[in-house]
Amino acid sequence: MSLLTSTAPRTAQDREVSALIAIQRMTSSPAIRQGAVLLSHLGEHALAGAVRDPAQRRPWLGATATVVGAHAVSVVVKRVVRRRRPTDPRIQVWVATPSDWSFPSSHAASTTAAAVAYSRLLGRPYLLLSVPVMMASRVILGVHYPSDVLAGSLVGAVMGRWVARPARSGRL
């Protein structure tokens, strides 16, 4: 067996740990980490849209319910799957979490649901740029594996796309 083969990750879990460690090494700047911590504390607030756009109040409230629903679905899946958060000693954890469960990422689920639903309401896809940023932040902070954020984003995309229908056809 070659040296390359003997040090290569052997399981999916090993590959995820290696990816997480590599991402943390590439993003080790304090400014990047502080930005990720800030994102961790932000919410996806559509209630402001309901207040500022009374003609579209109902769709905005529906979008808010979609975001809450995506978060709730992710929490239920976490409790069923019960995958522990990263614990490898080489992984640095930069924020506290409300539970020990990591799959799927609730932040990724709610952010993706918000980005999809709000983009559809606004008719502008630029909010979708927030999705990879939030996904990366959860890995940078050491609280999720890459597959956690991918699964969370999938939950959010499904909720945002099929639950929050646009008020008019022809939008995203």
Side-chain angles (χ1 to χ4, degrees), residues 18-29 32 90 140:
S18 295
L20 201 160
I21 291 167
I23 290 166
Q24 282 195 325
R25 281 189 189 135
M26 290 185 293
T27 59
S28 63
S29 145
I32 291 173
R90 297 169 293 173
I140 290 167

Side-chain angles (χ1 to χ4, degrees), residues 18 48 50 55 72 113 115 138 169:
S18 295
R138 304 310 289 162
S169 63

Side-chain angles (χ1 to χ4, degrees), residues 15-87:
R15 286 190 293 275
E16 289 229 73
V17 167
S18 295
L20 201 160
I21 291 167
I23 290 166
Q24 282 195 325
R25 281 189 189 135
M26 290 185 293
T27 59
S28 63
S29 145
I32 291 173
R33 189 173 47 249
Q34 289 169 351
V37 170
L38 178 64
L39 279 175
S40 182
H41 299 297
L42 291 178
E44 301 81 16
H45 302 288
L47 292 178
V51 170
R52 293 190 64 192
D53 187 5
Q56 293 290 317
R57 181 169 287 135
R58 188 175 185 145
W60 279 108
L61 293 174
T64 301
T66 298
V67 173
V68 171
H71 182 84
V73 166
S74 72
V75 169
V76 168
V77 173
K78 277 182 198 231
R79 292 184 180 185
V80 170
V81 173
R82 301 176 70 83
R83 180 184 194 186
R84 293 246 175 234
R85 291 190 187 273
T87 58

